[in-house]
Amino acid sequence: MKRPDQIITYTGVRFAPLNPHAEGIRIADIAHSLSLLCRANGHFKQFFSVAQHSLNCAEEAGRRGLSKKMQLACLLHDASEAYISDVTRPVKRDLPAYAAIEKRLQECIWDAFRISLTPEETAQMGAVDDAMLYAEFEELMGERIFLEMPEIKSAPDLSERDFRSVESEYKARCEALMADC
């Protein structure tokens, strides 16, 4: 029986997002969920998933010469959204309780994948994330969301893709990066 403080994940794990444990984290759950979650709260002109954004972040990290660990971190940087969804940046700023929940859950995910980031690495990951955010809004909304275009070394795939292919690619990329870390 499902407890009210748990969700049931794609793979059948009973997971408590407010009290997360690393042993409940599954790449299959993350890949499946993120491949079905749309970026920009669904406001893009086409479906574009969080998983596809994350794949682009990992690719950008590699093109910037960042380590395999950093590529994996960029792939997983939004993994908490698989368990608690997302809130848009302007709203998230005013929800300190949500931010605390997201931080605790993301730290649990880092533990599950044995990732520890320095403040410099966290900043690099944020720069990659912002670069992909910029590219997405420029291409998929015709909007420039920052005054200056950030450096982008990759060619992000912003096409509309079937969630199953993105899910499969996400899992494969994660497994390959984990093997190299």
Side-chain angles (χ1 to χ4, degrees), residues 7 9 15 17 25-27 29-35 37 39 50-51 53-54 72-86 92 98 101-103 105-110 112-113 115 125 129 170 174:
I7 63 170
T9 68
F15 188 82
I25 304 293
R26 303 280 183 278
I27 191 56
D29 290 327
I30 294 168
H32 182 77
S33 178
L34 296 185
S35 70
L37 285 175
R39 291 276 292 162
V50 175
H53 160 77
S54 298
L72 180 60
C74 285
L75 182 68
L76 293 168
H77 79 281
D78 282 335
S80 64
E81 294 175 21
Y83 301 95
I84 59 171
S85 198
D86 193 19
K92 191 183 293 188
Y98 176 88
I101 292 165
E102 181 182 45
K103 182 178 187 294
L105 181 53
Q106 190 62 47
E107 287 172 356
C108 179
I109 292 164
W110 295 141
F113 289 92
I115 296 173
M125 184 175 61
D129 186 30
Y170 189 101
C174 186

Side-chain angles (χ1 to χ4, degrees), residues 113-129:
F113 289 92
R114 297 181 195 94
I115 296 173
S116 177
L117 299 174
T118 66
E120 179 184 356
E121 289 170 328
T122 300
Q124 290 172 329
M125 184 175 61
V128 167
D129 186 30

Side-chain angles (χ1 to χ4, degrees), residues 6 23 33-34 48 62 85 89 99 102 112 118 125 127 137 144 148 166 170 181:
Q6 295 177 330
E23 55 274 1
S33 178
L34 296 185
F48 184 77
S85 198
R89 281 186 182 195
E102 181 182 45
T118 66
M125 184 175 61
F137 270 83
R144 293 184 175 181
E148 293 184 30
V166 174
Y170 189 101
C181 286

Side-chain angles (χ1 to χ4, degrees), residues 23-75:
E23 55 274 1
I25 304 293
R26 303 280 183 278
I27 191 56
D29 290 327
I30 294 168
H32 182 77
S33 178
L34 296 185
S35 70
L36 290 166
L37 285 175
C38 192
R39 291 276 292 162
N41 212 32
H43 291 286
F44 282 152
K45 295 176 182 175
Q46 69 188 46
F47 180 77
F48 184 77
S49 73
V50 175
Q52 195 170 345
H53 160 77
S54 298
L55 284 163
N56 285 336
C57 287
E59 180 65 23
E60 176 68 17
R63 295 294 175 122
R64 291 181 181 204
L66 300 179
S67 69
K68 298 289 185 181
K69 176 187 90 168
M70 283 300 298
Q71 292 172 51
L72 180 60
C74 285
L75 182 68

